[in-house]
Amino acid sequence: RQVFANLDELQRSSDGVVRAFEVRAYALRLRMLRTLAGSAALMVLVFVAGLWMTRRYIVGPVLRAEEAARRIRGGDFSQRLRIDTHDELAALGGSFNAMVDEVERLLAELEQRRAHAATVIQSAPVGIAVLTGDLRVLEGNRLFAELVGCDEGAIVGRPLSDIAFDLDYPDL
């Protein structure tokens, strides 16, 4: 009897140890699950913050640079990149703005030279025509137009051969 009583006591004691182990294991699993859920939430937060920062500091400036380049290609040389940072993109933006300034300056200089050349051509005391590579009249002065017997506007864009061979040269 005493052996069976000890066995019952041993059974109750072991059941208590097992229950205590199960409770402790459940508490540890719950703690681990909460830790994992917190870590996952933190990783999602870091990922979203990374996306936001990438969009703000990399993609945004690149898209603005692309839009400015598109406008400049269309002839709007007033476009400049706004530089908000002090990184490589800021250096690229500074170079871009300097390049646009230089192109704008060169175009203004080219226009000034073109206007000067046009003035020289128009004021020349002889007939002068400026030709393209395929021998079309790009510009001609009043005396050249009179020489070929056309209005000044009527010679621009025409092949020189059309104009020159319409002439009647009695000495040739």
Side-chain angles (χ1 to χ4, degrees):
R1 250 182 181 213
Q2 190 172 2
V3 173
F4 286 118
N6 286 341
L7 281 176
D8 285 339
E9 189 179 318
L10 183 62
Q11 180 70 36
R12 282 190 301 274
S13 180
S14 67
D15 285 345
V17 168
V18 168
R19 266 189 241 113
F21 179 76
E22 287 175 348
V23 167
R24 181 168 166 87
Y26 177 76
L28 287 173
R29 276 191 298 245
L30 193 59
R31 185 175 169 195
M32 185 172 55
L33 184 62
R34 287 182 184 142
T35 302
L36 287 174
S39 296
L42 183 62
M43 284 191 288
V44 167
L45 184 64
V46 167
F47 178 73
V48 169
L51 285 177
W52 177 80
M53 289 179 68
T54 300
R55 172 87 173 134
R56 176 164 166 68
Y57 295 107
I58 297 173
V59 175
V62 169
L63 290 175
R64 285 193 300 273
E66 190 267 337
E67 176 62 24
R70 185 180 304 123
R71 288 184 180 196
I72 289 168
R73 184 179 63 221
D76 180 5
F77 288 95
S78 67
Q79 294 299 306
R80 297 297 183 273
L81 293 179
R82 192 179 81 238
I83 301 169
D84 298 332
T85 62
H86 300 286
D87 58 3
E88 293 84 3
L89 287 174
L92 179 64
S95 296
F96 181 89
N97 290 342
M99 177 192 67
V100 173
D101 289 341
E102 183 65 12
V103 167
E104 195 172 31
R105 185 191 67 75
L106 289 172
L107 285 174
E109 184 179 316
L110 183 64
E111 176 56 29
Q112 184 181 16
R113 287 181 181 190
R114 190 209 58 77
H116 177 72
T119 301
V120 168
I121 289 170
Q122 290 300 327
S123 63
V126 294
I128 296 177
V130 178
L131 305 175
T132 63
D134 62 349
L135 299 180
R136 291 184 177 274
V137 176
L138 185 63
E139 186 174 349
N141 66 3
R142 181 185 51 79
L143 291 175
F144 179 78
E146 288 175 7
L147 179 68
V148 296
C150 294
D151 290 335
E152 283 183 65
I155 60 173
V156 174
R158 290 182 58 191
L160 183 61
S161 59
D162 288 357
I163 299 169
F165 291 121
D166 286 345
L167 297 176
D168 195 14
Y169 294 106
D171 296 339
L172 295 179

